[in-house]
Amino acid sequence: ILEYKNFLYERLNQYDSAIYTSRKVIDLVEKRNDSISIGRIYPKMAYYFKMNKQKDSAFKYYNLTENTYLKYNDSVSNGRYLLDLAILQSDYGDYNGSDETGTLALIYSNDKDSLNSASVYNCWAISSKKQNKFKEAVGYYEKAIELTTSKTSKIKYLNHKANALRYLKEYNKSITLFNELLKDSILNGMPKTKARIIDNFAYTKWLANTNENVLPELKKALAIRFQENDLYGSIASYAHLSEYYTEESHDSIVICF
């Protein structure tokens, strides 16, 4: 009954309640030393904490699952739990640990879950980018793009790849990729992603040529982000607009003198 309540709380996105109920489940199954039930509830507890933005607690339960209880879950589920752990390790800057956990996730996923495998490569790409290993990141993004069967994930990975190319100052390749992405009609149903690509496209064009008038595109991306209440995306827009206006201001000073 408690596990079914958890299922309903999860569907309602009521993760505090799911965590509370899960603690009751854990008390029951630990008293009975029911390893199989513990193996099921620990990764669920980790997931609820993750969705509740409590990364430390999520990390604790994913670690417990990895170290003791993977044998009680099917291989596909294990691959997904390990992916979540790898992402958390990357978030905390444990890139070597993230790589090792990601490798285990791939072993469990094998050919059974291509979406999970693609996400592992995406995780590795993000870790590489955080360490300024942009060429390595491009390679991982390409592998993620090759493996994924999700159109929306593919769009996101292509956007990430274009950004990594920008960091490598391969502006023409990056611009070409952004331009192709914006032709895809699927973006009409992905406004936040569309705004991100428009903003990245404009910013990359401007880096390639600071005389390029990209202001309308930068403002368009910001307008979409306002409409979607995308606060994180708006920060990126303001950062790019700030750079743009700073450069324009410098140009004006040169002309005045």
Side-chain angles (χ1 to χ4, degrees):
I1 291 170
L2 288 170
E3 287 185 339
Y4 189 68
K5 284 180 72 175
N6 271 345
F7 170 77
L8 295 175
Y9 285 137
E10 182 180 334
R11 286 297 183 93
L12 293 168
N13 297 324
Q14 295 179 4
Y15 297 110
D16 280 329
S17 298
I19 290 166
Y20 176 78
T21 307
S22 293
R23 291 191 192 281
K24 290 187 174 183
V25 174
I26 288 171
D27 286 343
L28 285 172
V29 297
E30 285 184 343
K31 283 176 184 176
R32 298 156 104 186
N33 198 26
D34 183 352
S35 297
I36 294 175
S37 294
I38 293 172
R40 286 202 313 266
I41 192 63
Y42 274 12
K44 287 181 181 178
M45 188 72 145
Y47 174 76
Y48 299 146
F49 276 120
K50 183 187 79 167
M51 297 305 292
N52 216 33
K53 311 299 183 186
Q54 294 173 262
K55 289 186 177 181
D56 286 351
S57 297
F59 187 81
K60 170 188 171 182
Y61 281 99
Y62 279 127
N63 257 325
L64 284 170
T65 305
E66 180 191 15
N67 294 336
T68 313
Y69 297 106
L70 284 182
K71 60 186 175 181
Y72 298 113
N73 300 297
D74 65 88
S75 60
V76 172
S77 294
N78 287 339
R80 290 171 185 165
Y81 303 146
L82 289 165
L83 167 64
D84 285 335
L85 178 57
I87 291 169
L88 285 171
Q89 288 173 307
S90 177
D91 287 346
Y92 283 116
D94 180 13
Y95 303 121
N96 289 335
S98 179
D99 288 349
E100 290 174 8
T101 305
T103 300
L104 275 177
L106 284 178
I107 291 170
Y108 277 106
S109 296
N110 201 3
D111 297 327
K112 301 172 186 175
D113 192 343
S114 58
L115 287 175
N116 200 73
S117 297
S119 295
V120 172
Y121 283 103
N122 181 56
C123 175
W124 285 345
I126 291 170
S127 293
S128 297
K129 192 168 70 171
K130 287 177 181 175
Q131 298 173 83
N132 297 323
K133 299 176 181 178
F134 301 113
K135 192 170 183 179
E136 191 175 279
V138 169
Y140 286 135
Y141 283 132
E142 287 174 347
K143 189 66 177 175
I145 292 162
E146 175 191 331
L147 285 173
T148 190
T149 55
S150 165
K151 180 68 173 176
T152 56
S153 293
K154 187 174 183 179
I155 291 284
K156 291 174 183 177
Y157 297 155
L158 285 166
N159 174 65
H160 295 330
K161 178 186 172 183
N163 277 332
L165 288 168
R166 184 183 74 215
Y167 283 116
L168 289 168
K169 296 186 177 180
E170 296 185 20
Y171 297 127
N172 289 337
K173 288 182 181 179
S174 181
I175 289 167
T176 299
L177 190 47
F178 281 131
N179 193 38
E180 287 300 313
L181 280 171
L182 287 172
K183 293 176 183 177
D184 199 320
S185 60
I186 195 175
L187 287 178
N188 294 328
M190 304 168 63
K192 288 185 180 180
T193 301
K194 185 174 184 177
R196 188 177 301 121
I197 293 170
I198 291 171
D199 185 56
N200 286 331
F201 184 35
Y203 182 62
T204 304
K205 287 193 293 182
W206 178 74
L207 286 177
N209 177 11
T210 54
N211 293 319
E212 181 95 21
N213 180 22
V214 297
L215 188 58
E217 292 163 284
L218 291 174
K219 288 184 174 180
K220 180 180 179 181
L222 181 59
I224 296 172
R225 283 166 161 167
F226 270 146
Q227 189 175 357
E228 294 298 316
N229 196 30
D230 183 2
L231 300 181
Y232 183 80
S234 296
I235 292 170
S237 279
Y238 282 128
H240 292 161
L241 282 163
S242 176
E243 284 189 56
Y244 178 86
Y245 279 120
T246 300
E247 185 67 28
E248 287 289 299
S249 175
H250 289 164
D251 289 344
S252 298
I253 292 169
V254 171
I255 292 169
C256 290
F257 279 91

